[in-house]
């Protein structure tokens, strides 16, 4: 089949008035041969000379169908080999097909290695014009293993210094055991003289000069013997040897071929159509066999205004890397069955900033409703209370259809809180106190999204208004204080990542407007909160009397702040037996941060 070669304009310094670029394509196929025939026809119709190698394990009936589908196209078929991933068989198949191509078509100037799952995104003639603009360039990814780690899992330089007689996929246990044995014995193969191992993508485009030099190298037999025992040599054989012969190396592939974290090829589907259409990339791999929209849309001519643009491979690869990272790490604060959270291995404990208001809810009447009205934020009550879940507005169903059922919440408190924050609007908040369940103290303290506004000692305020017998009050006060001390010990830890603001009860009572202002700023940091008036404060009369009674009963209340200031701020006008002192006499109230 005579196809006119693609012509290019004479580059600067070229002695000939006109030079020809004739593209040859080596296709490696092992399955979906009907689809491979369709890809081969695209190459052939575009003016390329094609040689196909079909894995010897492919059924004879499919091979016959491939030959029939490509009858009259001039496609050649290389001797069939049985190929196994990770072994030298893939290199040998490429060598056979490339040698046949060069011998059968002396006019071929560049050889492009592709697979049956490679889809040309742009017309073959556009690829020819691109190669004509870089006549001496070899487009092959070639990265030194000494300078850049290529693989994950330890086999980087070792793939060149150990022996690999067992198949990684079929005999994995023997593969791993033999690697460990060689490491233990200190075995290290000697590299051939003059060889510096390089690795890169299997898919390349080499000039005839470079490829012929590799295939006809006087030391080829030596190199082949060495690479027969290299792991995954199809990613290192040509990538290493072309360094001996290439005039100009472009260390990049013209084929978009990505791999995920498990080393499996990234598969393109129909929903990648818009992404690939704007990429200016010549060839993409690997295309899902059922991606009808992709196969029907490509190859597609490039807009004339951008026909000379370089392939936008780096941008596309960056997008795919982010997508792969999202799949591997998940979304912050979103826990999935397929990616069950492990301690300290989450991709963010929660999805957005939130505020935990500790203690202030016990000081003010109707605090949650007042804060929500003043700031426009969602402020829940005690969602971690022991016997109820207090969603904002006493709703039975919370954000994200979370039920107010305590038993369901207690099955997975961490998942409940993460889901509540993820499903809420900007900057959600909730009340917290030592009366609540304390299972999430470490979770919140080590969450960078958390902001904890803590008033210590405020747990005593509800007790002064209770009608319980004193013995019960003392018992409850002891439990609440122990819970608060444990919580404060966590907040003093070096592992805390949350933003923490602390006030004692005395400091909060001495400057309630400043406390209210800090809370409004935390809930609405961009401003706009109504800070004109703090919520009404609960009656603090009797706080010091209860503190004194608890102390006399053997319980020393802690973290309440300066007792002289607290006594002055909570004293009864007709108190008897207490040392009354006015706030003015107590001096300025110092707020701890």
């Amino acid at each position: 089949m005579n196809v006119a070669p693609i012509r290019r304009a004479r580059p600067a310094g070229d002695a000939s008035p006109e030079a020809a670029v004739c593209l040859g394509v080596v296709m490696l196929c092992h399955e979906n041969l009907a689809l491979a025939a369709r890809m081969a026809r695209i190459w052939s119709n575009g003016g390329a000379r094609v040689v196909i190698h079909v894995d010897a394990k492919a059924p004879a009936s499919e091979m016959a169908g491939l030959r029939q589908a490509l009858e009259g196209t001039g496609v050649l078929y290389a001797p069939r080999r049985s190929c196994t991933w990770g072994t030298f068989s893939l290199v040998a198949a490429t060598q056979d097909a490339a040698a046949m191509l060069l011998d059968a078509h002396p006019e071929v100037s560049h050889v492009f290695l592709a697979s049956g799952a490679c889809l040309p995104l742009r017309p073959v003639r556009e690829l020819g014009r691109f190669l004509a603009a870089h006549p001496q360039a070899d487009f092959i990814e070639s990265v030194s293993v000494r300078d850049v780690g290529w693989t994950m899992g330890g086999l980087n330089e070792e793939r060149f210094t150990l022996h690999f007689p067992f198949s990684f996929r079929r005999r994995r246990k023997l593969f791993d055991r033999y690697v460990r044995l060689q490491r233990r014995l200190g075995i290290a193969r000697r590299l051939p003289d003059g060889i510096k191992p390089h690795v890169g993508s299997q898919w390349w485009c080499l000039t005839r000069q470079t490829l012929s030099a590799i295939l006809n190298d006087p030391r080829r037999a030596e190199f082949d013997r060495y690479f027969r025992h290299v792991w995954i040599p199809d990613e290192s054989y040509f990538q290493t040897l072309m360094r001996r012969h290439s005039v100009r190396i472009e260390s990049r592939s013209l084929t978009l071929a990505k791999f995920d974290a498990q080393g499996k090829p990234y598969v393109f589907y129909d929903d990648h159509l818009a992404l690939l259409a704007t990429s200016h990339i010549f060839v993409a791999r690997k295309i899902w066999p059922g991606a009808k929209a992709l196969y029907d849309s490509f190859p597609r001519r490039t807009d004339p205004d951008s026909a000379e643009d370089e392939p936008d491979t780096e941008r596309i690869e960056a997008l795919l890397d982010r997508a792969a990272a999202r799949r591997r790490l998940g979304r912050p604060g979103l826990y999935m069955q397929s990616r069950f959270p492990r301690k300290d291995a989450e991709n963010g404990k929660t999805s957005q900033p939130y505020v935990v208001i500790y203690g202030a809810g016990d000081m003010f009447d109707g605090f949650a409703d007042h804060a929500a009205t003043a700031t426009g934020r969602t402020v829940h009550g005690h969602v971690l209370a022991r016997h109820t879940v207090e969603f904002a507005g006493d709703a039975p169903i919370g954000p994200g259809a979370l039920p107010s059922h305590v038993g369901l919440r207690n099955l997975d408190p961490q998942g409940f809180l993460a889901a509540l924050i993820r499903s809420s609007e900007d900057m959600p908040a909730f009340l917290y106190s030592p009366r609540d369940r304390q299972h999430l103290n470490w979770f919140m303290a080590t969450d960078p999204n958390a902001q904890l506004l803590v008033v210590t000692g405020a747990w005593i305020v509800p007790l002064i208004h209770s009608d319980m017998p004193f013995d019960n009050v003392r018992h409850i006060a002891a439990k609440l204080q122990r819970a608060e001390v444990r919580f404060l010990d966590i907040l003093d830890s070096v592992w805390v990542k949350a933003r923490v603001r602390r006030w004692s009860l005395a400091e909060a009572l001495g400057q309630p407007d400043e406390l209210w202002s800090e809370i409004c700023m935390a809930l609405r940091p961009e401003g706009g909160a109504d800070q004109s008036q703090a919520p009404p404060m609960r009656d603090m009369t009797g706080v010091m009397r209860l503190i004194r009674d608890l102390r006399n009963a053997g319980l020393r209340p802690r973290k309440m702040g300066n007792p002289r200031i607290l006594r002055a701020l909570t004293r009864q006008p007709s108190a008897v037996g207490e040392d009354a002192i006015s706030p003015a006499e107590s001096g300025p109230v110092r707020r701890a941060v």
Side-chain angles (χ1 to χ4, degrees), residues 354-364 367-368 371 379-384 386 429-442 444-445 450-462 476-491 499-505 508 515 518-519 522-523 558-560:
Y354 61 99
V355 179
V356 181
I357 303 172
Y358 181 98
D362 293 331
M363 295 176 52
F364 300 96
F367 178 86
V379 182
H380 301 284
H382 293 267
V383 295
L384 299 178
R386 295 184 178 276
F430 61 90
L431 305 184
Y432 193 50
S433 78
R435 298 189 304 277
D436 299 333
R437 289 174 58 88
Q438 304 292 302
H439 294 74
L440 297 180
N441 287 349
W442 272 111
M444 294 186 294
Q451 187 170 178
L452 305 178
L453 306 179
V454 180
V455 178
T456 60
W459 53 265
I460 199 171
V461 177
I476 293 174
K479 293 180 63 176
L480 295 179
Q481 180 162 269
R482 284 197 300 270
E484 180 171 280
V485 169
R486 286 194 294 267
F487 180 57
L488 296 180
D489 288 341
I490 291 174
L491 297 186
R499 296 175 57 191
V500 182
R501 298 273 288 164
R502 289 167 61 168
W503 297 263
S504 68
L505 179 61
L515 171 64
E518 292 283 349
I519 293 174
L523 290 173
R558 302 168 57 188
K559 308 297 184 180
M560 300 288 179

Side-chain angles (χ1 to χ4, degrees), residues 214-284:
I214 294 174
L215 297 178
N216 299 317
D217 193 306
R219 298 175 60 192
R220 175 179 165 180
E222 175 190 357
F223 297 146
D224 286 2
R225 283 195 303 270
Y226 170 75
F227 278 96
R228 286 183 188 280
H229 297 281
V230 169
W231 190 45
I232 320 181
D234 52 289
E235 292 182 355
S236 59
Y237 182 87
F238 292 96
Q239 293 77 0
T240 298
L241 297 184
M242 56 87 61
R243 293 275 172 181
R244 291 170 47 85
H245 306 288
S246 179
V247 175
R248 176 186 165 197
I249 300 174
E250 284 284 341
S251 184
R252 53 175 168 145
S253 175
L254 299 180
T255 299
L256 176 62
K258 292 290 294 180
F259 293 86
D260 60 18
Q262 298 177 338
K264 297 181 179 180
Y266 194 98
V267 181
F268 294 97
Y269 299 90
D270 283 343
D271 50 0
H272 292 102
L273 176 58
L275 177 70
L276 295 177
T278 59
S279 67
H280 299 139
I281 292 172
F282 290 107
V283 180

Side-chain angles (χ1 to χ4, degrees), residues 109-135:
S109 61
H110 294 73
V111 177
F112 195 101
L113 181 62
S115 75
C118 288
L119 173 63
L121 303 182
R122 298 170 63 178
V124 179
R125 290 189 177 275
E126 290 190 11
L127 174 57
R129 286 195 293 269
F130 177 81
L131 295 176
H134 307 82

Side-chain angles (χ1 to χ4, degrees), residues 7 28 38 79 111 135 151 174 196 209 284 319 333 339 365 421 426 445 449 452 521 527 540:
R7 301 289 178 177
L28 303 180
R38 182 176 177 180
V111 177
T151 60
L174 281 176
K196 294 183 179 180
Q209 176 184 356
L319 289 174
R339 194 186 303 102
D365 284 326
I421 295 168
D426 293 343
N449 280 331
L452 305 178
M521 290 178 61
M540 298 294 170

